[in-house]
Amino acid sequence: PPALRSLHNEVRRLQAALDAERFDRNYLQEELARIHLKMEKLVKDKEQYKQDIVNLKGKLSNCVQDNNVQDPEVANNNLGRLVKQLEQAEQRLVTAQEKLDDMQYERDMFKNKLDELKRERDKWIATSQEETSRALLLADELETERKHMHSLRELVTELRQHNRLNGVNTSQLECDDLDASI
């Protein structure tokens, strides 16, 4: 029957939507895992840069103290080199923090998409369950109707046999439509 075919098509469509959602969810979870690994590396790098900065500041402090003892030109060269290294380390720290902020934003975006997919999936599952219940109900009703139709056909056959045996003119009782002749 058309209603049952329609429900079966709807169930297939819902199943395809669930499969697509699973694919999207798996992709998002993989992306989240990738971002998490990048973030862990950036946090480690950031901590290392902080440690490098502390060490360079310590070296600068020592260099300033040693500046009085050493040749002023050598001390200035060492001081200039350490200041440059410190600036580079600070820039690496700033760059690492910017990348970390970008990764956190991307992670949050993927988490939001994943949450949205979960809500959509729950909605599709509920709809799918409703449609499956409706399909089962219609299948049961169809089976009941088939049994009823079969019983009516048997009854019509018995009535015809009875009429034939008793000599009743059945042409007056019949019409073109089987359902109307009952």
Side-chain angles (χ1 to χ4, degrees), residues 99-115:
K99 287 180 181 179
L100 188 59
D101 291 343
D102 290 344
M103 287 288 117
Q104 287 171 336
Y105 174 78
E106 194 174 348
R107 178 201 61 197
D108 293 344
M109 186 179 65
F110 280 125
K111 280 185 177 181
N112 289 338
K113 285 182 182 180
L114 192 58
D115 290 342

Side-chain angles (χ1 to χ4, degrees), residues 64-79:
V64 168
Q65 291 173 0
D66 291 344
N67 196 14
N68 298 332
V69 176
Q70 290 183 0
D71 178 24
E73 188 175 319
V74 172
N76 283 339
N77 285 341
N78 287 341
L79 188 61

Side-chain angles (χ1 to χ4, degrees), residues 1-19:
L4 194 56
R5 276 194 299 273
S6 174
L7 280 174
H8 283 298
N9 289 336
E10 183 67 13
V11 168
R12 277 190 230 111
R13 186 185 69 75
L14 289 171
Q15 187 61 45
L18 282 172
D19 291 342

Side-chain angles (χ1 to χ4, degrees), residues 4-53:
L4 194 56
R5 276 194 299 273
S6 174
L7 280 174
H8 283 298
N9 289 336
E10 183 67 13
V11 168
R12 277 190 230 111
R13 186 185 69 75
L14 289 171
Q15 187 61 45
L18 282 172
D19 291 342
E21 182 273 333
R22 280 188 198 106
F23 176 80
D24 290 345
R25 186 185 59 213
N26 289 339
Y27 168 77
L28 290 174
Q29 287 175 336
E30 288 171 6
E31 285 300 303
L32 279 173
R34 180 187 62 79
I35 288 171
H36 182 70
L37 289 174
K38 281 184 176 181
M39 286 178 68
E40 284 179 353
K41 183 184 180 321
L42 283 171
V43 167
K44 287 179 184 177
D45 290 349
K46 182 179 164 184
E47 292 305 315
Q48 181 61 46
Y49 298 151
K50 285 180 180 179
Q51 186 62 43
D52 291 348
I53 289 170

Side-chain angles (χ1 to χ4, degrees), residues 149-165 170 174 178 181-182:
M149 177 75 94
H150 182 68
S151 297
L152 289 175
R153 283 186 180 153
E154 286 179 357
L155 189 59
V156 167
T157 303
E158 287 178 23
L159 183 59
R160 285 183 182 156
Q161 287 175 353
H162 177 72
N163 288 343
R164 249 189 313 252
L165 292 175
T170 58
E174 292 185 14
L178 177 64
S181 67
I182 296 173

